[in-house]
Amino acid sequence: MQPTLYEFDVIVVGAGHAGTEAASAAARMGAEVALLTTNLDTVGQMSCNPAIGGVAKGHLVREIDALGGLMGVAIDRTGIQFRMLNCRKGPAMHSPRAQADKKAYQAEIKFLLEQQERLALRQEVVEEILTEGSGPDRRVTGVAVKGGATYRAPSVILTTGTFLQAIMHTGESKIKGGRAGEGTTRGISHCLTQLGFELERFKTGTPPRLNARTIDFSKTEEQPGDDPPAPFSFLSDDFKLDQIPCYITYTNEAVHQLIRDNLHRAPMYSGAIQSNGPRYCPSIEDKVVRFSEKNQHQLFLEPEGRRTLEIYVNGISTSLPRDVQDSFFKLIPGLENAEIMRYGYAVEYDYCPPHQLRSSLETKTIQGLFLAGQINGTTGYEEAGAQGLIAGVNAALSLQHKPPMILRRDEAYIGVLIDDLVTNSVDEPYRMFTSRAEYRLQLRQDNADRRLTPKAQEMGLIPVERWERLQSKLTAIEKATEFVRKNRVEMDPLEKLLRRPDFTWAQACSHFPELETISHEVSQQVEYDTKYSGYISRQATQIERQKRLADKKIPATFDFTAIQQLRTEAREKLSRVQPDTLDQASRVSGITPADIALVMAHLQRGTPTPDANSQKTKATG
Ligand code: FAD
């Protein structure tokens, strides 16, 4: 019997957050795409937190949306609570976050894919990556799936997430699988190793889910959504929805003691798990050990949807045994009688260290093979979606024999993300932070469309509606900017007044009522452009100056721990390596250009040495 053969331009393996964006982007650009995934009922599934966005992750979603991606549209249609985080800080730090109706979100993503021309969404388990040629001429030709069929294509994008040789741990129990209720994938790991790829292991974890009927919310603090809520997508108008509150409670000393007493049963501490987990999403057992001085930790009780009572307990990710999970909730206010619907667990999986990739996300050794998402050592839906979109675009561009789309670090958080991955690789699961972006004043979430939609237009990634919307917004911004430049309040130019931190657009409107008709999305751009123009041009000069100093020597006594603003991770790594030059420092894995800029600034000011610090202490003390 002849094996069944299907022909496509691009094959995407896995319909998680990376795969769905990859397939959609490639199809929007005209490629015939097959999106193959183990289970059509888990397309776009949120393995962990039922939420989209958050600090810096919200920026990624806005950028995905500006490039015509799915995530922003889907969360706007299915979110249950929207909040803008970090509102008390400057606009570069504002980050949108939404609680999702997990099932509705998944269904929406699937529905968007089903409507996409040229995209075939199919339930298939991919078992083998097919290649031809050898050495530098080796290229991908397709994949083989369980049951004997073959899919052929000149480009294959692997987005298999946490599923490669995955093992789930809850206390002493170990089950093969990449997500509760699902299996694992062996064949792809085997193929990647055979093809010469280096694979490593990471772990991540998830908290227990509770039944809201058994929670006493009167003992917790309510956390409402923003009023009015702000949407993620630049396409969403008249954004109104019935928001559902989240609630906050806290752990306490009794909980911490119970955890300490059972640490030997936690896989991370018993030695059952050896791999690194996400530093920024520590398990509760990690928090109790690493932050032993804290006598409580905040827990957010987050609904998983409108038509379910399941509550995700954000902040208590754990792989402790079931009996410990049962016991610690009895000690937490409001959760004394809570029933666990799903127990927390940790998962260990293979990933492919991303130094093996080009900036296009194509592998360095196999032509036409792209990797995106958690398989590259990242964590998070947004990081995965962003990589997926770029891999999809570049797979489509390679078919058109065009150079890849590579976003620079000063153009997008997506550029920062991919540059960090391919330049520094990863030694712990990578998540995005605003501190990783050295040009963050330019890379605000509010201006993602102005930065990126023109590129999307050039690539053929967006429908005409998005382009026309941007054009009319740009015209309105130009008109309003002109008004600001030309008008004065008494003797003071309005532009000069708007540059003052305490002078708002609302105040401008009180002097010029005609400005009130300008929409918020337009006035916000005019206000921020005006207010931060000085900072932004200073930042550009500063970057140039910093480049010239890249070879500056770092004295052997330089004390990185004395640089307060440096991220803890950077302080630890630089202190461990103690590089001789800034150039060397910039190559230390995990050290970002933002960290280097800080070290450079301190070098210019004078070397912080342990001696200098003690003198400072004496002088001020
Ligand atoms: P996924 O969303 O995992 O999608 C992979 C897809 O590939 C799935 O649809 C799968 O069915 C499919 N697939 C796999 N193998 C095959 C095959 N052989 N053939 C066909 N299809 C295949 N992120 C955080 O930011 N914070 C957290 O706290 C966090 N905790 C997590 C806890 C757990 C238990 C898990 C499992 C994940 C957690 N994550 C967390 C990670 C988050 O789920 C991922 O970052 C995100 O889902 C990655 O998206 P992805 O598209 O790369 O992979």
Side-chain angles (χ1 to χ4, degrees), residues 13-19 36-38 42 45 47-48 57 124-126 159-163 178-179 182 185 188 204-206 281 345 347 372-374 379-381 384:
V13 183
H17 305 277
L36 312 180
T37 198
T38 39
T42 61
Q45 174 149 323
S47 311
C48 191
K57 288 168 175 274
E124 298 276 21
V125 178
V126 173
T159 68
T160 45
T162 51
F163 287 80
R179 186 161 55 199
E182 292 179 59
T185 298
I188 292 182
T204 188
T206 198
C281 270
Y345 63 95
V347 57
Q374 191 121 352
T379 174
Y381 315 134

Side-chain angles (χ1 to χ4, degrees), residues 72 91 102 138 159 208 274 308 391 487 500 525 533 550 596:
K102 184 169 142 181
R138 190 154 207 162
T159 68
Q274 302 282 344
T308 175
N487 284 282
R500 283 184 6 204
Q525 294 305 297
S533 61
I596 294 298

Side-chain angles (χ1 to χ4, degrees), residues 242-282:
D242 237 354
Q243 298 196 74
I244 298 180
C246 295
Y247 296 86
I248 299 172
T249 184
Y250 297 88
T251 61
N252 50 46
E253 255 313 319
V255 175
H256 298 179
Q257 192 53 48
L258 177 71
I259 291 169
R260 277 194 288 269
D261 292 344
N262 284 281
L263 268 185
H264 59 286
R265 302 174 67 198
M268 278 294 282
Y269 291 89
S270 68
I273 296 183
Q274 302 282 344
S275 43
N276 281 345
R279 170 192 301 257
Y280 312 102
C281 270

Side-chain angles (χ1 to χ4, degrees), residues 423-471:
T423 309
N424 291 320
S425 204
V426 293
D427 52 14
E428 61 182 319
Y430 179 103
R431 73 151 283 182
M432 184 44 79
F433 282 106
T434 47
S435 59
R436 296 196 192 269
E438 63 276 32
Y439 308 118
R440 58 184 166 272
L441 268 176
Q442 282 100 309
L443 306 186
R444 302 187 314 268
Q445 60 82 26
D446 59 82
N447 66 6
D449 56 342
R450 292 169 73 193
R451 292 186 275 119
L452 298 174
T453 300
K455 281 187 190 293
Q457 164 73 0
E458 206 182 303
M459 298 289 152
L461 266 172
I462 50 166
V464 68
E465 182 203 359
R466 223 180 241 276
W467 182 239
E468 283 174 356
R469 268 175 179 252
L470 178 67
Q471 292 313 302

Side-chain angles (χ1 to χ4, degrees), residues 14-49:
H17 305 277
T20 51
E21 293 292 352
S24 161
R28 295 201 304 275
M29 286 176 64
E32 290 292 337
V33 180
L35 173 53
L36 312 180
T37 198
T38 39
N39 184 348
L40 284 187
D41 295 326
T42 61
V43 171
Q45 174 149 323
M46 296 174 166
S47 311
C48 191
N49 199 341

Side-chain angles (χ1 to χ4, degrees), residues 40-95:
L40 284 187
D41 295 326
T42 61
V43 171
Q45 174 149 323
M46 296 174 166
S47 311
C48 191
N49 199 341
I52 291 287
V55 174
K57 288 168 175 274
H59 291 70
L60 287 171
V61 181
R62 295 279 278 170
E63 291 181 356
I64 291 171
D65 184 70
L67 291 164
L70 309 176
M71 216 173 234
V73 172
I75 188 64
D76 285 355
R77 292 183 186 166
T78 58
I80 59 178
Q81 191 202 73
F82 287 71
R83 293 176 60 224
M84 188 62 80
L85 307 183
N86 280 340
C87 271
R88 290 203 200 114
K89 300 185 179 165
M93 307 298 282
H94 298 179
S95 289

Side-chain angles (χ1 to χ4, degrees), residues 437-443 533-546:
E438 63 276 32
Y439 308 118
R440 58 184 166 272
L441 268 176
Q442 282 100 309
L443 306 186
S533 61
Y535 291 104
I536 289 170
S537 53
R538 263 204 303 280
Q539 194 175 50
T541 336
Q542 191 189 345
I543 291 159
E544 272 309 307
R545 200 172 54 231
Q546 286 168 345

